Amino acid sequence: SQSAAGAGGAGNSNGGVTNGGKTTLTNRLIKALPNCCVVHQDDFFKPQDQIEVGEDGFKQWDVLDSLDMEAMVSTVRAWIENPVKFARSHGVNVTPGSREPSSQDIHVLVIEGFLLYNYKPLVELFDLRYYLAVPYDECKRRRSTRSYTVPDPPGLFDGHVWPMYLKHRKEMEDGGRSWKEHFYSRASAGKTKRAPADRKASCKACL
């Protein structure tokens, strides 16, 4: 796949349910792929005092309004414009032969998050898309073992987290083309497809 940078590359995008294995997969990709940078959607949460309380009685962390999505898009675009510069500024070791902007080395951006596919300006930047899902019981069990900077109040999973996951997933599925045609792969189904052959340069993936 190709970005504006014109450097050779490949990549993944990992999206899906909270505690569905996105970070685990992302960390393995970072170790396995060359010149690999990552953008975590969790890094774009707004300050706690900007998160509103919803009708369900909980702070609305699992909605797009809790995230600075414009800043996230700008970050991804910065990588597209110059993946080598982006990598170096984020402490990623770049292949010694990489040169800006005509390098044919592979450069990879992995984008990881729980609400990647519900924000069109971001979706339009992805090359490869993977969606990870786990059943309700397993998701709840994993969530209960995690420690967060802002601890989960009692009842958050059933009262907010899981309902919002179902809502946003339905929005994707109801979106028709964005769900059924734009996904190169669904990781939960164990299927993988490569990006189109006419896209030759750096690529991004969302998890």
Side-chain angles (χ1 to χ4, degrees):
S1 60
Q2 188 166 14
S3 77
N12 297 281
S13 79
N14 302 335
V17 66
T18 179
N19 304 112
K22 300 182 299 297
T23 302
T24 299
L25 176 56
T26 296
N27 289 338
R28 290 179 179 177
L29 289 171
I30 292 171
K31 292 179 180 179
L33 298 173
N35 302 327
C36 185
C37 295
V38 76
V39 171
H40 297 283
Q41 191 172 38
D42 284 359
D43 292 340
F44 296 90
F45 273 116
K46 295 176 182 176
Q48 186 176 356
D49 60 5
Q50 295 182 25
I51 307 301
E52 298 182 358
V53 176
E55 295 180 359
D56 57 17
F58 296 104
K59 287 233 176 191
Q60 302 295 288
W61 289 103
D62 287 59
V63 300
L64 280 173
D65 284 346
S66 70
L67 297 151
D68 188 345
M69 294 302 296
E70 290 185 3
M72 186 174 183
V73 169
S74 295
T75 300
V76 175
R77 287 191 179 280
W79 180 88
I80 293 172
E81 291 172 3
N82 196 324
V84 175
K85 181 179 179 180
F86 186 97
R88 288 173 175 161
S89 68
H90 286 75
V92 175
N93 291 326
V94 178
T95 302
S98 293
R99 296 184 181 85
E100 308 165 47
S102 60
S103 171
Q104 291 305 306
D105 291 325
I106 292 174
H107 291 274
V108 179
L109 180 66
V110 177
I111 305 161
E112 177 265 326
F114 70 106
L115 273 180
L116 298 182
Y117 307 124
N118 296 80
Y119 189 70
K120 188 175 180 179
L122 185 64
V123 174
E124 291 174 345
L125 301 178
F126 299 153
D127 292 316
L128 305 179
R129 302 163 181 85
Y130 298 84
Y131 191 85
L132 280 66
V134 294
Y136 164 84
D137 289 340
E138 177 62 15
C139 186
K140 186 173 183 178
R141 183 194 68 77
R142 293 183 186 183
R143 180 87 179 199
S144 69
T145 65
R146 297 289 180 87
S147 296
Y148 294 96
T149 304
V150 180
D152 285 355
L156 180 71
F157 185 85
D158 287 317
H160 176 65
V161 174
W162 191 255
M164 288 298 101
Y165 160 66
L166 296 178
K167 175 179 180 289
H168 292 126
R169 177 163 177 165
K170 186 176 187 301
E171 287 177 358
M172 283 194 305
E173 293 172 339
D174 289 348
R177 186 182 175 194
S178 63
W179 171 262
K180 296 174 183 177
E181 296 179 21
H182 284 195
F183 272 75
Y184 287 92
S185 173
R186 282 194 58 185
S188 58
K191 297 179 181 179
T192 303
K193 292 183 180 180
R194 295 189 62 83
D198 61 342
R199 309 283 303 275
K200 297 180 181 177
S202 14
C203 88
K204 309 154 288 294
C206 348
L207 295 149

